[in-house]
């Protein structure tokens, strides 16, 4: 599903469709950090700091010992002004 989201993004799919694919990837593999990280990065690239922060907080709540997600949370906080 991560590859599908990348292809959607590259082929001009709507941001909502890409986010939905990434959310399905999270549901399919809730213990995997990569789809969570990809969703935060997706929102950051779209300058949607509020959504990025929300998803980063969810990611850290689900996987609190994952350094890359803590980093993503910091980036999302910085983007949102926190």
């Amino acid at each position: 599903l991560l590859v599908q989201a990348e292809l959607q993004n590259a082929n001009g799919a709507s941001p909502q469709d890409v986010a939905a694919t990434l959310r399905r990837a999270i549901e399919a593999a809730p213990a995997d950090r990569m789809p969570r990280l990809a969703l935060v990065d997706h929102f950051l690239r779209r300058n949607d700091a509020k959504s990025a922060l929300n998803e980063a907080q969810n990611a850290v709540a689900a996987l609190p010992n994952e350094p890359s997600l803590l980093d993503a949370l910091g980036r999302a906080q910085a983007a949102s002004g926190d």
Side-chain angles (χ1 to χ4, degrees):
L1 288 170
L2 287 178
V3 172
Q4 181 181 351
E6 288 177 24
L7 288 172
Q8 285 177 314
N9 196 39
N11 290 319
S14 75
Q16 296 84 2
D17 288 345
V18 176
T21 299
L22 292 170
R23 286 190 177 104
R24 285 195 309 275
I26 292 167
E27 290 173 12
D32 185 356
R33 69 180 169 84
M34 292 307 295
R36 295 176 187 277
L37 187 58
L39 185 56
V40 173
D41 287 339
H42 168 72
F43 286 123
L44 287 173
R45 281 192 306 275
R46 307 226 50 88
N47 294 317
D48 185 350
K50 181 179 177 182
S51 294
L53 181 58
N54 182 56
E55 294 300 337
Q57 289 169 335
N58 291 340
V60 169
L63 301 170
N65 297 319
E66 184 56 56
S68 62
L69 296 177
L70 293 169
D71 177 67
L73 177 58
R75 291 185 288 118
Q77 287 173 328
S80 69
D82 277 352

